[in-house]
């Protein structure tokens, strides 16, 4: 098939994604009726739905490692951030037990999940096994939310102070860069399922390989580069937002002016 | 408008004595008590016994003198590097000249590049930082004065090491970035490259020391009301720059170490016959090399951000944007190194990502240029010499940025790679921005350093000759490059245009030489006979101008109130002060502990070093090489010894806990246990090594052995250093020290020791565990 045909036909509307998204939207509108932040929630849902139902999803399902990486980035970094921004500013996200809310826990959640899901066995399993794939999707969303909670929690008091947040995000950027570097330059295939897809369910094999010219090596390279450069740019954007927040004048009426 | 000089014993109005500020700090409040008597600190400032001027300068730990030592050293090496440049230009003045032998020419351009970057630009900028930063933050000295002195003396030592190679069979001729395999033994058998690598290691250690010192100083030594968001931009840029240094230099150190191991121990990190690849050198070198150019550019940006507002008589436009874009540049600079490798064949995918990232870095840089330009608009510009240099730097940097952005396009880069277009670009950055900024800074801060003004007329002659010479030299090189002239060629054929263009460039270079001579003459003459400067000859606004010129050893006896970014403006204009830069959040007044700050910075730098070694190990062992492999290692035995090392972290934690509870006896016991466990671990490593040696596996057996011994060897070295530190602590504890319950020193050593453990966990997983999982 051609690229155009694929884009038209590669959508997967079946499955649990749409019902769950609808339920989430309902829950949000009921819980936080009247809030002006609903566009953020719509954006978050839009990202999740598109990621899981568009042709991107079809490609990530055993054809292209780089497509899986795009999904990964959207689910781990973009959707959770939008979700947190959608919460009204008075919602408290204090966690019980308290240690779950510690910065290093959030950091390890966000960074660790990325490293974990690229262990070769886990990476392959997430493609071949439906339950593990669902687990992967849910873990990315959940742990991504735990990561972003440290800097995007609705209440100012629950957030890290900007200089600490810069270190937090910078460290995450470095950690994902290292994995990205490893994936880009690795002489071995990390996620072998993408190198030789077991079943060519959608007949995309020739499209991907010859039309788009994406050999498995190049595919892994691009996947690694996606994790390296664009992912870091997302973290960098967040860092700049923190720096802007730090320099913004917010005089406290009760505070002592020194 | 300038402060009336205080009579001895009397404070200028509105000034707060430093003793009161210090006491205020100690009691946790910002209370002020003008005239408060502070007998505790008087003894610190009593005059010292007179010593001979040589001993004074050789043994000084005063940041001001160390800063001046850096600058004088940089000047000396500038003359040497400059002579090398003139030799290059003489040889290239016309086609087919034979002034220099080809090999000599290679030596000259290698030494020119290495000298100018590592022995001129970095020492000069860090020397300025050394001098200015403590003054700008109202501090008495750097956080670690002796480390400061040590870091300085590594510069002349490194310079001597590098130039000693002239006497031992020739200086290096491999280019300042010493690509493998040319820099490897088969192609360069003389010891020149070894001296080069050792010199750079020495210089790098000094730079990291200075940067750790700067980070600790800015975080812990600020005057109480000088919050981080009120920092002068030069200090802010040096602060951010220091983080870049502590990440980038250790990456270079890792590369140099691997090169030295290749050359001395017959290994093949970068040699294809043994399984290595020269590409790895390029990656690691440029992962250092690109941040390096920002390491020298950020201080220049800081200088421009100080001088331009003062001489435009306007506060800087968009302080927050300049400060924030600095952070963006620092992070982005770590991400773009592959644009030095567009022609190496990494593949279109890699190239494209780095094209995008490299072009992105132009955005925050452009923000700065816009901010400086906007500062000039509407200002009452005074064209004094510092401003002239900075204006030229601004325009020249703009051009450098434009050629830089075009080079970020892989397609254009392919056409101009290693041509004079590239040479012109980076000289516009290094000379057009950085040297001009340094010259401006010296003219600006010389009055503070010496108490005398530089001669304005000589300064203007220096400026115009330098600007004319510089532009003559390098603008024409853009066209030479586009006409096809490659770099690093000792001569060229008589192609149309090449001859006269090179001649113009040579004439320009000699004009720069004349300008430099004028500058040195100005320095000497003004030191002896310059006009007396006074505290604040430029009517500037930051704290370094609030003390006498030159400052007394303690820098400040009193400080003006600090509510904004321009304390001296507020002091002189109480009716129209700057808007108060607010304080919110605990972090504004939080002062971390000095030793722990330094150790954490050191841990960051060591993480970068180990990171490179670990990645190299993973890369070379992704497919197991023929010969000895990880399966020849004894996982069980080493695993047991590793448990010992992890246990030692636990015992050290127990020691700290006992210390905070005042139980010195238990503390000594657990400390001794830590030392013992650490020693046991080292013994285990030694026995692993012995087993391997006995079965004939040496460092040069194959790439597995090489990477294994390098990685675990350096880790073992770090364990040994940690053990020495712990034994010093133990010795002090046994001698009855540690009376206070919260010793920062033990905590700092504890951080280091835990770090060494964490590194071992990663190394053990990668080396011993991972192969067995496949």
């Amino acid at each position: 098939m051609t690229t155009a045909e694929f884009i038209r036909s590669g959508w997967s509307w079946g499955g649990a994604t749409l019902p769950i998204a609808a339920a989430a939207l309902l829950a949000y509108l009921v819980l936080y009726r009247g809030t002006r932040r609903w566009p953020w929630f719509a954006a978050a849902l839009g990202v999740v739905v598109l990621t899981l139902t568009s042709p991107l999803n079809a490609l990530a399902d055993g054809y292209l490692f780089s497509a899986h990486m795009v999904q990964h980035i959207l689910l781990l970094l973009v959707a959770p951030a939008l979700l947190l921004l959608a919460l009204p500013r008075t919602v408290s996200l204090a966690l019980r037990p308290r240690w779950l809310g510690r910065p290093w826990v959030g950091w390890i959640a966000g960074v660790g999940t990325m490293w974990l899901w690229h262990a070769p066995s886990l990476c392959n399993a997430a493609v071949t096994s439906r339950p593990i794939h669902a687990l992967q999707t849910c873990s990315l969303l959940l742990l991504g939310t735990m990561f972003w909670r440290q800097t995007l929690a609705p209440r100012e008091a629950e957030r890290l102070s900007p200089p600490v947040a810069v270190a937090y995000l910078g460290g995450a950027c470095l950690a994902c860069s290292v994995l990205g570097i490893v994936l880009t330059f690795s002489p071995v295939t990390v996620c072998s399922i993408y190198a030789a897809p077991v079943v060519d369910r959608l007949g995309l094999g020739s499209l991907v390989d010859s039309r788009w010219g994406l050999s498995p090596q190049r595919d892994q390279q691009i996947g690694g580069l996606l994790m390296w450069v664009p992912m870091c740019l997302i973290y960098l954007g967040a860092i700049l937002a923190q720096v802007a927040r730090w320099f913004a004048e917010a005089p406290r009426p009760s505070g002592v002016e020194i | 408008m300038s402060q009336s000089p205080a009579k001895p014993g009397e404070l200028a109005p509105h000034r707060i004595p430093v003793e009161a500020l210090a006491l205020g700090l100690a009691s946790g409040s910002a209370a002020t008590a003008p005239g408060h008597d502070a007998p505790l600190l008087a003894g610190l400032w009593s005059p010292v016994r007179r010593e001979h001027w040589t001993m004074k300068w050789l043994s000084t730990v005063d940041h001001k003198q160390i800063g001046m030592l850096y600058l004088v050293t940089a000047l000396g090496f500038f003359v040497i590097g400059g002579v090398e440049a003139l030799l290059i230009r003489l040889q290239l003045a016309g086609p087919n000249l034979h002034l220099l032998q080809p090999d000599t020419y290679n030596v000259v351009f290698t030494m020119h590049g290495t000298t100018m970057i590592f022995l001129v630009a970095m020492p000069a900028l860090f020397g300025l930082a050394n001098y200015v930063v403590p003054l700008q933050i109202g501090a008495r000295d750097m956080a670690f004065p002796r480390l400061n002195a040590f870091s300085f003396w590594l510069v002349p030592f490194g310079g001597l090491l590098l130039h000693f190679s002239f006497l031992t069979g020739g200086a290096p001729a491999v280019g300042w970035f010493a690509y493998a395999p040319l820099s490897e033994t088969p192609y360069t058998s003389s010891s020149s490259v070894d001296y080069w690598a050792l010199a750079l290691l020495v210089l790098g250690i000094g730079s990291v020391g200075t940067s750790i010192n700067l980070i600790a100083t800015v975080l812990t030594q600020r005057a109480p009301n000088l919050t981080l968001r009120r920092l002068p931009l030069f200090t802010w840029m040096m602060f951010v720059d220091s983080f870049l240094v502590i990440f980038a230099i250790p990456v270079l150190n890792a590369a140099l170490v691997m090169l030295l191991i290749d050359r001395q121990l017959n290994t093949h990190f970068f040699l294809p016959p043994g399984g290595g690849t020269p590409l790895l050198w390029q990656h690691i070198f440029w992962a250092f090399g690109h941040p390096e150019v920002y390491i020298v550019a950020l201080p220049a940006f800081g200088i421009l951000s100080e001088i331009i507002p003062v001489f435009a008589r306007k506060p800087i436009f968009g302080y927050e944007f300049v400060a924030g874009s600095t952070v963006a540049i620092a992070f982005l600079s770590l991400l773009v190194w592959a644009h030095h490798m567009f022609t190496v064949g990494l593949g279109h995918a890699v190239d494209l990502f780095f094209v995008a990232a490299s072009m992105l870095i132009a955005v925050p840089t452009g923000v700065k240029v816009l901010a400086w330009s906007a500062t000039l608009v509407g200002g009452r510009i005074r064209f004094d010499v510092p401003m002239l240099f900075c204006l030229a730097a601004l325009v020249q940097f703009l051009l450098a940025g434009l050629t830089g952005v075009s080079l970020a396009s892989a397609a254009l880069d392919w056409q101009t790679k290693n041509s004079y277009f590239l040479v012109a670009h980076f000289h516009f950055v290094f000379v057009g921005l950085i040297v001009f900024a340094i010259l401006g800074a010296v003219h600006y801060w010389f009055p503070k350093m010496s108490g005398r003004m530089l001669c304005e007329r000589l300064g203007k002659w220096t400026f115009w000759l330098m600007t004319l010479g510089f532009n003559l030299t390098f603008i024409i090189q853009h066209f030479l490059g586009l006409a096809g002239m490659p770099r690093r060629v000792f001569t060229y054929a008589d192609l149309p245009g090449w001859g006269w263009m090179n001649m113009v460039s040579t004439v320009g270079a000699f004009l720069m030489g004349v300008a430099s001579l004028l500058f040195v003459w100005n320095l000497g003459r003004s030191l002896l006979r310059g006009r007396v400067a006074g505290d604040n000859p430029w009517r500037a606004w930051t704290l370094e101008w609030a003390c006498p010129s030159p400052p007394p050893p303690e820098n400040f006896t009193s400080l003006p109130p600090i509510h904004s970014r321009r304390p001296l403006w507020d002091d002189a204009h109480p009716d129209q002060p700057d808007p108060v830069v607010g304080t919110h959040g605990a972090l504004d007044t939080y002062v971390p502990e000095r030793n722990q700050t330094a150790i954490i910075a050191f841990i960051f730098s060591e993480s970068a070093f180990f990171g490179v070694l670990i990645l190299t190990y993973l890369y070379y062992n992704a497919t197991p090489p023929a010969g000895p492999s990880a399966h020849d290692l004894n996982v069980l035995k080493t695993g047991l010894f590793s448990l010992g090392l992890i246990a030692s972290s636990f015992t050290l934690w127990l020691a700290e806990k006992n210390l905070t509870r005042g139980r010195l006896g238990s503390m000594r016991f657990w400390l001794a246990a830590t030392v013992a466990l650490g020693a046991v671990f080292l013994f285990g490593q030694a026995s692993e090594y012995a087993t391997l040696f006995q079965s004939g596996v040496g460092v040069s057996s194959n790439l597995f052995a090489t990477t294994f011994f390098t990685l675990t060897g350096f880790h073992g070295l770090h364990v040994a250093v940690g053990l020495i530190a712990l034994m010093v602590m133990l010795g002090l504890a046994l001698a009855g020290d540690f009376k206070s319950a919260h010793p920062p020193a033990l905590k700092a050593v504890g951080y280091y020791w835990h770090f060494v453990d964490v590194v071992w966990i990663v190394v053990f997983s990668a080396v011993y565990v991972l192969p067995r999982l496949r």
Side-chain angles (χ1 to χ4, degrees), chain B residues 210-279:
Chain B
T210 304
S211 293
I212 292 178
N213 217 340
L214 279 169
I215 291 173
T217 305
V218 171
L219 286 178
T220 67
Q221 302 295 110
R222 297 191 313 277
N225 296 344
L226 191 72
T227 64
L228 281 176
R229 281 172 302 143
R230 294 174 182 171
L231 282 180
L233 280 171
F234 180 71
T235 299
W236 174 257
M237 305 243 183
M238 289 313 307
F239 179 61
V240 175
D241 198 49
S242 300
F243 284 98
L244 261 185
V245 171
I246 65 177
F247 276 113
I249 298 273
V251 172
L252 174 67
N253 289 347
L256 292 170
V257 149
M258 287 192 259
L259 181 63
L260 280 172
I261 290 177
D262 262 8
R263 291 180 59 87
Q264 296 297 325
L265 297 175
N266 278 321
T267 57
H268 296 88
F269 274 113
F270 309 119
L271 288 169
T277 165
L279 260 192

Side-chain angles (χ1 to χ4, degrees), chain B residues 346-520:
Chain B
L346 294 173
H348 287 317
V350 177
D351 290 346
L352 278 173
F353 275 89
F354 283 99
V355 167
S358 307
M359 290 193 173
L360 258 181
I361 207 170
V363 173
T365 321
V367 163
K368 285 202 170 61
V369 172
L370 284 172
W372 295 321
S373 310
T375 308
L376 289 169
V377 170
R380 283 175 303 136
I381 302 181
R382 288 172 17 203
F383 291 97
D384 296 317
V385 176
M387 183 60 150
L388 288 174
F389 275 111
C390 288
L391 286 174
L394 182 56
V395 173
Q396 283 155 186
F397 178 63
L398 187 61
L399 191 55
L402 290 173
T403 55
V405 154
S406 10
L407 284 168
S409 150
L412 196 143
D413 186 87
W414 284 352
Q415 298 300 319
T416 55
K417 186 70 180 174
N418 281 333
S419 72
Y420 265 81
F421 187 83
L422 179 67
V423 173
H425 161 71
F426 66 68
H427 280 96
F428 258 80
V429 178
F430 276 112
V431 186
L433 169 73
I434 291 166
V435 170
F436 273 68
I438 293 175
L439 287 172
V442 171
H443 282 265
Y444 182 61
W445 277 307
F446 181 88
K448 176 58 58 182
M449 295 183 192
S450 65
R452 295 176 180 275
M453 305 294 286
L454 281 170
C455 171
E456 193 74 0
R457 216 167 53 99
L458 273 177
K460 291 207 163 115
W461 272 96
T462 308
F463 168 73
W464 287 111
L465 275 173
M466 188 62 98
T467 305
L468 181 63
F470 166 75
N471 284 291
L472 218 52
T473 312
F474 292 109
I475 288 189
I476 202 120
Q477 286 188 6
H478 290 100
F479 299 103
L480 260 178
L482 290 174
M485 181 171 175
R487 74 193 282 205
R488 296 184 167 174
V489 289
F490 84 105
T491 192
Y492 50 91
D494 193 5
L495 294 163
W498 286 32
W500 70 262
M501 286 202 269
N502 270 292
M503 180 57 81
V504 166
S505 189
T506 302
V507 167
F510 274 87
L511 283 177
M512 286 175 70
V514 172
S516 307
L517 286 175
L518 269 182
F519 176 64
V520 174

Side-chain angles (χ1 to χ4, degrees), chain B residues 320-341:
Chain B
E320 298 85 352
F321 283 95
V322 180
S325 61
T326 310
V327 177
I329 289 176
F331 273 105
L332 276 171
S333 71
L334 295 164
L335 282 183
V336 297
W337 80 76
H339 68 229
H340 296 270
M341 298 167 66

Side-chain angles (χ1 to χ4, degrees), chain B residues 117-138:
Chain B
I117 294 177
F118 294 103
L119 295 171
V120 178
M122 290 189 73
L125 292 166
F126 282 97
L128 278 169
N130 240 305
Y131 194 98
V132 171
V133 168
L135 287 171
Q136 281 195 336
I137 61 176

Side-chain angles (χ1 to χ4, degrees), chain A residues 161 163 170 181-182 185 187-188 221-222 225-226 228 230 232-233 236 239-240 243 246-250 256-258, chain B residues 228-230 236 283 319-320 323-324 331-332 337 346 349-350 353-354 360 563 565 580 582 584 587 589 615 619 623:
Chain A
S161 68
I181 290 171
V182 169
F185 294 114
V188 298
Q221 238 192 12
I222 295 178
L225 285 164
L226 283 169
W228 187 1
C232 262
L233 290 178
L236 184 61
I239 286 172
L240 288 177
V243 173
W246 195 42
F247 279 115
E249 275 301 334
V256 176
E257 279 302 330
I258 61 167
Chain B
L228 281 176
R229 281 172 302 143
R230 294 174 182 171
W236 174 257
H283 275 296
Y319 173 97
E320 298 85 352
F331 273 105
L332 276 171
W337 80 76
L346 294 173
V350 177
F353 275 89
F354 283 99
L360 258 181
H563 297 304
R565 294 166 179 145
V580 173
H584 49 89
L587 226 60
T589 46
L615 283 174
Y619 183 70
T623 43

